[in-house]
Amino acid sequence: MPNSYLPKIRNIGLVAHIDAGKTTTTERLLFFTGKTYKIGEVHDGQAVMDFLKQEQERGITISSAAITTSWKGHQINIIDTPGHIDFTIEVERSLRVLDGIVMIFCAVGGVEPQSETVWHQADKYKVPRIAFVNKMDRQGADFFHVVEMMNEMLGANAIAYQLPIGKEGDFSGMIDLVNMKYITYKDLDMFVEAIPESFEEKALEYREYMIEKLADFDEELMEKYLNDERITTEDIKRATRHAVLSLCVTPVFCGSAFKNKGCRPLLDAIVDYLPSPIDRGIITGNDVNNPETVISRIPSVTEPFSALAFKITNDIYVGQQTFIRVYSGEIKTGDLVLNSTKNKTERIGRILRIHADEREEVSVLKAGDIGALIGTKVTTTGDTLCDPNNPIILEKIHVPDTVIDLKVEPMTPKEREKLSFALNKLSLEDPSFKVRFDEETEETIISGMGELHLEIIVDRLKTDFNLDIKVGQPAVAFRETITEEFRHEYKYKKQTGGRGQYAHIIYRIEPNPDGGLDFVNHVKGGNIPKEFIPAIEKGFMEIAEKGVYAGYPLVDVRFVLVDGSYHPVDSSDMAYRICTIQALKESIVKAGPRLLEPIMKIEINTPDEYMGDIIGDINRRRGKIEKMRRYRKGSQKLTGTVPLMEMFGYASTLRTLSSGRASYSMEFLRYELLPPNIEEKIVEESRKRKK
């Protein structure tokens, strides 16, 4: 059978809030599956999955890493993702190609801000999940409180599949409610025994509750439950698998990855409950020539080839690596494939299976596989690769807006070209990192998701590319928009001897209530030949990138091309592009231009006694606390919104206000109009810079 291997594949990701123990858990899974023979630790920079120098220095994951291992006859492709909000794109693109995830929660912190973000990202892609409550040996660990938080804050329908034995420093193992076994550990050894009589009543109570919840989603189990028939382990596993794949329940397991407890039962759960590519079923895309037409692909090697490029990395030994998830068909070394997103072909030089920073060369990747291609020239993140005779475009990967800017410049003019090359490489790897060059001020401005994101970029420029650069102060990445509709007509005419330049456009610009930038062509009757329309759109996009009002990118604007005219000799692409740029410079300032600022969602965990001072400080920063919730005894979780521009240096302020006992995290929420008095100052500063 050509597809017999597919039910044995698990493409999974480990995702969580920063410092919940994702990388440590991954290291243990690799050790217990025999993939590694030494346990790597995050704190000493020896983790297999944290192989970037910047990751080892900081003890955090920055870039998602992929590795292939096996457990009980199943191939498991694991992606370990970052937990810091600045690297959320890594989670976003991983979730786009994964079949299932293990959500890891800290037994002390519970559901933290990034946990919520990742959970909702997984909801968007309808990714089945199980949960692992880690760090059960830490002081303050509370398994049942975390399950309660999952249900209250995430609507997870979380069900305990294990009960912890002991708590905090006395945590010694767990009771398996499916197999009704008592599991304890000593060093690397695991002992499975019958449940002692003293624990039996509690175990039966929780098992009964688990079966009752599962029966809501499985008729066969419901019938047995109502008729008081014997319910077997197989019945529970079958019903659980069905409920997980249907996103109806979240089974919750517990352990302490650092102490090697709970990892082998977690591997069993990954195999038993998370989906194979076949379970995830048909993938849909669009027809290249008719985007309204939906095309389906079955996960099968006999179907035409289709894959999504979800990550680009540059390796010093093999050059550019393009990570792909194969959805249908197969790809072999030497194949010619179509990049349907860019309508260009690619010849595949080599194919690799990636084991973190090590590579294994293979001749083929089949439906369900994750691997890397060497030799692609035009493919970037989010592009579809497919059979040239059966083209399809798969759904792209959403890239969040950048919120923070930084000026960088080389110390010597000779290094300008080298800097440009390095920035281009880094922006190819990371779609949430943007680069623009302000021609008026001759400044290179890099934009990212937060201060840590840009700090890592600067570090990589210095260490990976050996660049000596001067760095400015971080600044908020404002956006420009318009608030009124404005109709305009513009004619561009230039005669310099010989062939001239001629372009004439009639258009209107208006706020776009749907968000984003829209270009709409309403020209009829060939008043502007259709071959010149893309040049007009290009001019609009160029202006949108640079902005007009204060030099910030333009957002949420619709450009409607109504009419125009052309000259049979003097009209050209360049003439229409220049015409559009010059016309928009005139019209944007007359369409009620305004500046938008990034508003952040903030969560602060604080002891009760500091709450008043912290709320007062947030109010002074133009912020608003919208919700207060008991976090644990004696402390509160405050949730609200605050403008990013008011939050530079907040970490030290919070330390002072709370004697170092409060913590916070922020993530981008939306853009809002700046208050007029602040906007006036920023526009004035922008004009001074350009003089």
Side-chain angles (χ1 to χ4, degrees):
M1 295 287 289
N3 298 308
S4 58
Y5 69 96
L6 277 167
K8 299 285 190 182
I9 289 181
R10 299 289 181 271
N11 290 316
I12 64 143
L14 273 67
V15 291
H17 186 86
I18 191 167
D19 207 30
K22 292 179 308 303
T23 302
T24 302
T25 305
T26 308
E27 295 295 324
R28 297 312 187 269
L29 299 186
L30 296 178
F31 177 78
F32 289 116
T33 55
K35 187 71 196 174
T36 56
Y37 300 100
K38 173 182 176 291
I39 296 174
E41 302 294 3
V42 175
H43 59 80
D44 60 13
Q46 296 300 308
V48 172
M49 302 301 271
D50 284 351
F51 55 86
L52 290 178
K53 177 175 176 284
Q54 291 78 12
E55 293 176 317
Q56 292 166 353
E57 286 173 351
R58 291 168 176 79
I60 61 168
T61 302
I62 292 164
S63 174
S64 52
I67 197 160
T68 301
T69 188
S70 59
W71 181 253
K72 295 187 176 175
H74 289 71
Q75 176 185 310
I76 304 177
N77 300 318
I78 302 174
I79 294 185
D80 172 39
T81 60
H84 198 286
I85 191 63
D86 284 12
F87 309 104
T88 190
I89 182 64
E90 292 288 343
V91 183
E92 181 84 23
R93 58 184 174 187
S94 297
L95 286 173
R96 174 69 181 78
V97 297
L98 291 170
D99 295 326
I101 57 172
V102 179
M103 280 290 300
I104 299 181
F105 297 95
C106 171
V108 181
V111 177
E112 296 180 274
Q114 183 67 353
S115 316
E116 287 188 74
T117 303
V118 172
W119 189 272
H120 297 315
Q121 283 174 309
D123 280 342
K124 181 168 73 176
Y125 292 116
K126 296 183 170 56
V127 184
R129 66 213 80 162
I130 61 176
F132 180 65
V133 178
N134 191 27
K135 303 192 176 185
M136 286 297 301
D137 57 322
R138 278 185 53 190
Q139 192 174 349
D142 189 336
F143 175 75
F144 299 104
H145 181 55
V146 177
V147 174
E148 196 180 296
M149 286 176 83
M150 287 175 66
N151 287 324
E152 184 190 320
M153 296 170 66
L154 304 174
N157 202 7
I159 305 170
Y161 270 56
Q162 294 174 340
L163 300 180
I165 302 168
K167 61 184 296 187
E168 300 177 343
D170 296 326
F171 173 70
S172 58
M174 63 282 306
I175 294 169
D176 177 349
L177 297 175
V178 177
N179 299 293
M180 288 301 278
K181 293 293 180 186
Y182 188 81
I183 302 170
T184 54
Y185 297 86
K186 186 176 181 187
D187 299 325
L188 294 173
D189 295 322
M190 182 173 87
F191 304 95
V192 181
E193 305 163 272
I195 299 173
E197 207 174 297
S198 55
F199 289 95
E200 204 165 345
E201 190 182 330
K202 190 178 181 183
L204 285 168
E205 179 195 328
Y206 275 91
R207 190 176 198 264
E208 182 82 3
Y209 176 77
M210 176 181 72
I211 291 168
E212 190 183 312
K213 295 285 280 184
L214 283 175
D216 290 340
F217 309 105
D218 189 282
E219 286 183 26
E220 196 181 321
L221 191 68
M222 173 70 81
E223 205 173 306
K224 282 191 171 187
Y225 180 68
L226 293 175
N227 295 327
D228 281 334
E229 292 178 37
R230 181 173 170 269
I231 291 170
T232 66
T233 298
E234 285 64 38
D235 289 330
I236 295 172
K237 286 186 176 181
R238 187 202 66 254
T240 302
R241 185 171 183 77
H242 169 70
V244 169
L245 299 190
S246 309
L247 305 179
C248 296
V249 303
T250 307
V252 188
F253 304 87
C254 64
S256 166
F258 184 63
K259 298 284 178 66
N260 309 306
K261 295 171 183 173
C263 299
R264 280 160 282 195
L266 181 61
L267 281 163
D268 289 339
I270 288 167
V271 165
D272 290 339
Y273 307 132
L274 288 180
S276 71
I278 293 238
D279 295 318
R280 290 289 276 160
I282 290 168
I283 182 86
T284 58
N286 299 96
D287 190 313
V288 174
N289 301 315
N290 184 5
E292 301 300 312
T293 305
V294 175
I295 301 174
S296 300
R297 289 276 191 272
I298 297 167
S300 164
V301 289
T302 56
E303 285 274 299
F305 168 68
S306 66
L308 187 79
F310 68 95
K311 183 177 171 69
I312 307 289
T313 63
N314 282 286
D315 187 284
I316 55 171
Y317 299 109
V318 297
Q320 184 171 299
Q321 297 177 147
T322 304
F323 282 78
I324 64 165
R325 158 72 193 265
V326 182
Y327 286 101
S328 62
E330 58 183 28
I331 185 171
K332 295 176 181 171
T333 306
D335 277 358
L336 187 72
V337 297
L338 174 69
N339 179 325
S340 54
T341 310
K342 297 192 166 72
N343 197 25
K344 292 188 176 175
T345 54
E346 295 270 32
R347 179 73 67 185
I348 306 308
R350 294 162 64 198
I351 301 174
L352 306 175
R353 277 199 197 282
I354 306 297
H355 305 291
D357 61 341
E358 295 177 2
R359 296 159 294 279
E360 173 200 350
E361 193 151 343
V362 294
S363 59
V364 62
L365 290 177
K366 298 180 179 182
D369 278 341
I370 288 176
L373 308 178
I374 308 296
T376 57
K377 299 284 191 290
V378 298
T379 302
T380 53
T381 298
D383 287 359
T384 301
L385 297 176
C386 58
D387 178 352
N389 299 317
N390 295 276
I392 184 174
I393 289 189
L394 302 173
E395 183 191 344
K396 292 198 79 166
I397 293 168
H398 168 70
V399 179
D401 286 326
T402 57
V403 295
I404 194 161
D405 289 346
L406 197 63
K407 289 173 197 159
V408 294
E409 57 178 292
M411 296 298 268
T412 62
K414 277 196 296 187
E415 290 207 304
R416 188 169 294 282
E417 199 175 315
K418 195 176 169 188
L419 175 63
S420 177
F421 170 80
L423 291 172
N424 183 49
K425 284 276 187 196
L426 292 174
S427 62
L428 265 178
E429 286 185 22
D430 180 358
S432 66
F433 167 62
K434 308 282 187 212
V435 183
R436 72 180 192 275
F437 183 72
D438 190 323
E439 287 170 6
E440 292 182 35
T441 60
E442 294 191 338
E443 293 173 331
T444 300
I445 299 161
I446 61 175
S447 305
M449 302 303 299
E451 289 183 78
L452 180 61
H453 187 195
L454 293 184
E455 183 190 311
I456 299 292
I457 292 287
V458 168
D459 196 0
R460 290 193 65 190
L461 287 172
K462 291 175 178 176
T463 56
D464 297 4
F465 296 93
N466 297 316
L467 276 162
D468 194 8
I469 54 173
K470 197 159 50 177
V471 181
Q473 288 298 312
V476 173
F478 297 106
R479 294 288 183 267
E480 297 180 12
T481 193
I482 57 171
T483 55
E484 299 163 21
E485 182 184 310
F486 186 77
R487 187 183 172 95
H488 196 42
E489 179 176 358
Y490 193 86
K491 196 175 280 185
Y492 173 65
K493 205 172 176 181
K494 200 171 184 185
Q495 199 70 45
T496 52
R499 185 178 169 179
Q501 297 284 349
Y502 179 90
H504 172 219
I505 57 173
I506 300 168
Y507 66 95
R508 71 175 185 270
I509 51 172
E510 59 194 25
N512 183 7
D514 300 328
L517 297 168
D518 270 0
F519 178 86
V520 182
N521 176 25
H522 282 175
V523 175
K524 291 186 174 70
N527 287 350
I528 300 175
K530 62 181 181 183
E531 61 263 29
F532 295 138
I533 303 299
I536 299 170
E537 184 175 3
K538 191 177 178 187
F540 168 55
M541 291 303 177
E542 271 188 46
I543 276 290
E545 198 178 303
K546 297 172 184 174
V548 172
Y549 181 46
Y552 295 102
L554 194 66
V555 294
D556 303 340
V557 174
R558 182 179 288 131
F559 180 104
V560 182
L561 184 61
V562 178
D563 206 352
S565 63
Y566 76 103
H567 188 281
V569 176
D570 292 349
S571 288
S572 65
D573 280 350
M574 186 172 74
Y576 278 102
R577 187 177 67 81
I578 293 169
C579 176
T580 307
I581 288 169
Q582 293 186 356
L584 283 167
K585 282 180 178 176
E586 285 185 7
S587 58
I588 284 171
V589 292
K590 295 174 182 172
R594 291 294 307 274
L595 281 185
L596 300 165
E597 65 172 334
I599 301 296
M600 312 299 282
K601 176 187 172 187
I602 186 166
E603 286 208 4
I604 305 167
N605 298 326
T606 174
D608 292 344
E609 60 261 40
Y610 306 114
M611 208 165 65
D613 289 342
I614 287 170
I615 292 172
D617 182 65
I618 289 292
N619 290 340
R620 282 190 291 277
R621 294 171 187 266
R622 296 193 287 124
K624 189 165 59 177
I625 295 298
E626 295 163 345
K627 200 166 21 172
M628 288 180 275
R629 186 169 54 229
R630 176 69 56 197
Y631 180 50
R632 61 172 78 91
K633 193 178 177 185
S635 66
Q636 297 277 348
K637 185 187 284 283
L638 311 177
T639 307
T641 58
V642 64
L644 176 63
M645 72 179 296
E646 307 290 348
M647 295 303 286
F648 291 111
Y650 182 66
S652 57
T653 303
L654 185 64
R655 269 197 302 272
T656 304
L657 289 173
S658 67
S659 303
R661 293 174 63 198
S663 62
Y664 83 104
S665 72
M666 287 193 309
E667 63 177 281
F668 172 69
L669 185 63
R670 60 179 176 265
Y671 272 96
E672 277 183 8
L673 291 171
L674 259 174
N677 59 322
I678 300 174
E679 181 178 337
E680 206 176 299
K681 286 181 192 169
I682 289 161
V683 173
E684 188 58 38
E685 282 169 16
S686 170
R687 284 173 185 157
K688 279 180 187 169
R689 275 200 317 269
K690 290 179 179 181
K691 278 180 183 175

